[in-house]
Amino acid sequence: EKIKLDQYVMRGGKILWCIDRLQAEMDSLRDLNRVIAYDRNLNLEDLLFKYGVRINPDLLLDLQCDFLPFDVNGNGQYEFLHWNYFPLFQSKSNHSINKNIGLVAGRFVNTIDTVKAPGIAKTILLASSANSKTISAPAFISGDENRNATEDASFKQHDLAVAVLLEGRFSSLYANRMSKPLVDSLEILGTPAQTATLRSNKMIVISDGDIALNSVLKEQPLPMGVNPYTAETQYQYTFANKDFIQSCISYLVNSSGLNEAKSKDYTVRLLNTKKVEEERSYWQLINFACPVVLVCIFGWLYQYSRRKRFAS
């Protein structure tokens, strides 16, 4: 399976990776008020490392985060509190993908390190805020954490990458490592093994699978970027996940079209409030009275021309 992915990239295929490296179930947190986040053992580390990134076996906590309902008193009365494991990412608009993109919501997100890969350019698309930290996995997560003050002095890390764009000529992880029977089989199929991309290629690695997730509430899908635990409450908000994912796909498929669409800068022009107040009556007269007068004049001219024509 990894060889298929690798050879797909070597032949010019584009991949948008949305990877949950850690297993963390919200059902356990809801039912038991605790959950253990542990590694899924996806066995993708060597492949991604070859392409230029490493998804760390950790969890990102951020003071810039979404809400979650908690039974703070144990009496069934829920209160919405900030949940640091649901970080909100604000892009720096350093690329056409994340330009003019709002907050993007994540859930149980890992951090990403960029590693040396010859010929590969790396662009950070999403990163944590200035008040973040990480904990190593496996990690014990308890809902009781929110009973303490969230303004913890340990949130000192910043700009921890969670989405990276990779561009360049990728090298195959399996160069000179394939068995002869596999090489012969590929030759027979007319798809000989490629050790590197023939031309520049690109991929995007996101260390959270939930970013592209449509949650379900009452057996109905929610828009991408809506937290199901705040849906239909005053805390509901649609984050920019859909816009971000669409921009990623558009760039991978047709970067020139996305660059052209996002090359424009929109400036909101504020009205001169003093001038608006001074000329308010004048513009009201222009907008309301003039159309009525013009209709009356047109009607009179039309009736006059009819009488003159049929009278003769």
Side-chain angles (χ1 to χ4, degrees):
E1 293 171 344
K2 289 168 64 177
I3 289 176
K4 291 178 181 178
L5 290 172
D6 180 80
Q7 289 301 296
Y8 174 74
V9 172
M10 295 306 110
R11 296 180 181 278
K14 313 295 190 298
I15 298 183
L16 172 60
W17 305 83
C18 297
I19 299 177
D20 276 328
R21 177 166 181 176
L22 298 184
Q23 175 81 14
E25 294 294 342
M26 284 299 297
D27 292 342
S28 297
L29 184 67
R30 180 189 60 200
D31 299 335
L32 305 174
N33 201 35
R34 62 182 182 272
V35 61
I36 297 178
Y38 57 91
D39 201 310
R40 293 176 181 267
N41 295 318
L42 298 176
N43 194 25
L44 291 172
E45 292 80 9
D46 53 353
L47 191 63
L48 295 176
F49 192 92
K50 186 68 174 181
Y51 298 153
V53 295
R54 176 178 57 233
I55 298 180
N56 298 312
D58 59 9
L59 273 176
L60 171 68
L61 286 78
D62 203 318
L63 292 184
Q64 180 175 274
C65 55
D66 201 1
F67 291 91
L68 204 63
F70 288 93
D71 184 2
V72 292
N73 298 320
N75 57 5
Q77 293 182 349
Y78 286 84
E79 182 179 347
F80 284 91
L81 302 174
H82 285 285
W83 184 235
N84 304 133
Y85 296 94
F86 281 15
L88 301 176
F89 306 108
Q90 187 170 9
S91 67
K92 296 183 178 180
S93 295
N94 59 333
H95 194 275
S96 59
I97 292 176
N98 57 18
K99 186 176 182 181
N100 301 324
I101 294 290
L103 289 172
V104 177
R107 304 179 204 165
F108 299 118
V109 186
N110 311 115
T111 61
I112 297 178
D113 287 337
T114 57
V115 296
K116 186 176 181 181
I120 303 299
K122 309 171 187 71
T123 304
I124 307 300
L125 299 178
L126 292 178
S128 68
S129 73
N131 299 287
S132 56
K133 70 175 184 178
T134 61
I135 58 175
S136 58
F140 178 79
I141 303 169
S142 172
D144 295 334
E145 296 176 23
N146 272 27
R147 295 182 180 179
N148 302 321
T150 57
E151 298 296 332
D152 193 328
S154 62
F155 287 81
K156 294 181 179 179
Q157 295 176 278
H158 60 88
D159 298 323
L160 301 174
V162 297
V164 181
L165 167 67
L166 305 174
E167 297 178 286
R169 293 190 61 184
F170 297 99
S171 297
S172 172
L173 174 66
Y174 298 98
N176 303 319
R177 292 178 56 186
M178 293 186 188
S179 64
K180 190 175 187 308
L182 178 58
V183 172
D184 293 340
S185 298
L186 292 174
E187 291 283 354
I188 294 173
L189 293 173
T191 55
Q194 295 285 344
T195 59
T197 54
L198 299 178
R199 58 184 64 87
S200 181
N201 199 0
K202 49 195 172 183
M203 67 173 65
I204 297 173
V205 182
I206 304 173
S207 57
D208 181 23
D210 296 321
I211 280 183
L213 179 69
N214 287 84
S215 299
V216 176
L217 181 67
K218 298 177 181 178
E219 300 183 356
Q220 295 296 324
L222 294 172
M224 190 182 299
V226 173
N227 182 352
Y229 304 99
T230 60
E232 300 181 351
T233 71
Q234 60 178 327
Y235 294 94
Q236 178 177 333
Y237 186 81
T238 303
F239 294 100
N241 295 43
K242 181 179 178 180
D243 294 335
F244 177 70
I245 294 297
Q246 286 182 333
S247 294
C248 289
I249 295 173
S250 296
Y251 184 78
L252 292 177
V253 175
N254 181 19
S255 59
S256 59
L258 182 65
N259 290 332
E260 182 179 349
K262 291 205 171 184
S263 62
K264 301 177 181 178
D265 291 317
Y266 299 93
T267 304
V268 178
R269 306 293 181 183
L270 300 178
L271 296 176
N272 187 326
T273 55
K274 183 178 179 181
K275 188 175 182 181
V276 168
E277 190 63 30
E278 291 175 351
E279 300 182 4
R280 179 178 180 181
S281 300
Y282 170 76
W283 288 108
Q284 283 180 336
L285 181 65
I286 292 293
N287 285 287
F288 291 101
C290 285
V292 176
V293 173
L294 290 174
V295 170
C296 292
I297 293 174
F298 175 78
W300 181 83
L301 291 174
Y302 179 72
Q303 293 296 333
Y304 176 77
S305 63
R306 279 175 55 86
R307 285 197 301 268
K308 186 174 181 182
R309 187 175 3 157
F310 292 110
S312 59

